[in-house]
Amino acid sequence: MKNKVAIRSSLFSSKLSSLVFLLGRKYRSRFLPEDFDAEIYLALYPDVASANVDAAEHYISRGIREGRTYTLEGLPNDFDIKSYLELHSDVRAAKLDAVEHYLSYGIKEGRAYKRDHYPVDIKVRKSSTPNSEKFTAKVHTEDHSRTPASIRGHTKPSGSLSEVRTIEGVSKKTRITALLNSRFELATPLRTFAVENSAGVARITMVTDSIARSSLLGGVGTALIFCTMLANRMGASLRIATRTEPPTAGDIESFLALCRVHIDNGVQFSFAPIKGELYELDVFENDLFVTTSWWSTAATLNAVTPTSIFYLLQEDERMFYPFGDDRHRCDAIMSNREIQFIVNTELLFNHLIDTGLDSIGTHGVWFEPAFPKWIYHKRSDGKDSKRKLFFYARPDNPRNLFYLGIEVIDQAIQSGALDLANWDVYLIGKNIPALEFTNGYQPIYSEGLTWQDYAALIGTIDLGLSLMSTPHPSYPPLDLVASGALVVTNRFLNKQDLSNYSPNVICADLDLHSLTAALSSAIALTDDQTDDNPVGIDHSLNTDWHKSFDSIINDLLTSGQWT
């Protein structure tokens, strides 16, 4: 890249830990907490233990900066890991360790740790340890005579409280705002403060959950490309604010280099944790914000001017939920008439309008994503090997129909359509369970791939099965056809025929029989191909991200709005 990615950090702990690390072993003990226990620290962090590094050195050089805990003090005897993860979807989605998160953040945030536990008000007591805090939970009560001695003397806080549970005569209460923030954690408002833009340079802030390597495949990567191109055209700086885990510069740099997109004015990274109290984002009067989900949009709406927000919408996110509170809040954001919408594919754009979202029609535009030829193309793995069947496997995402997909593959094996003497099955995704198909066949697993590794693999694939209960094509089928493979996918609502993208995309009705028949036919087509008669790359996909976004950006710069 022409310009190196720049990281700015104002965290005192980061500077302190780096300084102590440089001073050497002799001085580190002065900064180590007296109650530091190396065995507990290594037990809490398997990544540190497996790296075979000194626990104390790791805590001083990195642990303080990363917010890691070093003690089990404060963990209730009845702490329930399963319940904690079920109660807090952000922790579960980020694949964080429940015990570690509760001790580091949950206590301070007043999070429930099991289903019959209700958060109490938390008071923070600073400790002498650099950048660390010890937390004391205080249960507020009106009747001191009935309060255990261990919590006597605490007064009832002011503010609107709601009675939630009475146990053994002690009245435990929680604030309504705290209850709502705990329930809808991902939408917790950003903490911001206004500053004067003395330099007069425009700025784009992208607000998203994570920019970790695994997050860049698909929607977040698309948002990053859009933000970079918008910033470059405006001569603006780019800031990326993540909410569920700290940002990493290296992943961004390598991703943009692969896409041949460069950042003219560098990028600033900020970590704005969902319930963090030790951060604030500075905001200029004319800042623009690009959000990547309804919850990041809600969090931003509560902190900045609505007309400064551009919501990059890549799913009908209402479909993530059954009818209820979550869906209601999602629908309210998607119906907002003050923000602007940028929708991934015309198919999704039309569906959203057809299902009652007039806001999309009046305040939105659509684009078609790009599949650059230097990334997506046919490749050889250098082996005279069996053919490869790709299955997009994400069991934690119900819309990806993981269980139906593996059933379809197993049916094809049982019928003889999928001859395992000539085919290997590749499961590409995340958190895939160990499987055994008919006749004891075990598939090949690929998880946590980089963009480069993902592109290299799909270039060797002959046939893909990619299911998605969404009204848009989704990325994997288009990735595959751009790389020269046949693909079987499902019909859903207005997604009935994808031949406008490529004749190599085969759509089938969403049932076991239809999908198995379509897969069997595609296997036969693939088996019949020869060097003289290959399936070949046949598509009308856009191959240039500038073609995707230039007209949209032009509209923004010339009119300041999409309409």
Side-chain angles (χ1 to χ4, degrees), residues 37 51 151 484:
D37 189 312
I151 57 174

Side-chain angles (χ1 to χ4, degrees), residues 194-197 203 282-289 305 308:
V195 295
E196 182 179 353
N197 186 359
R203 181 170 60 183
D282 59 288
V283 176
F284 300 150
E285 182 179 0
N286 296 321
D287 277 356
L288 295 180
F289 294 82
T305 304
S308 68

Side-chain angles (χ1 to χ4, degrees), residues 76-85 87-88 102 111-119:
N77 292 332
D78 58 348
F79 183 85
D80 188 326
I81 292 177
K82 181 179 180 182
S83 293
Y84 190 76
L85 293 175
L87 286 167
H88 306 295
Y102 179 73
R111 296 189 186 227
Y113 62 81
K114 61 176 184 175
R115 294 204 174 276
D116 59 351
H117 167 250
Y118 289 82

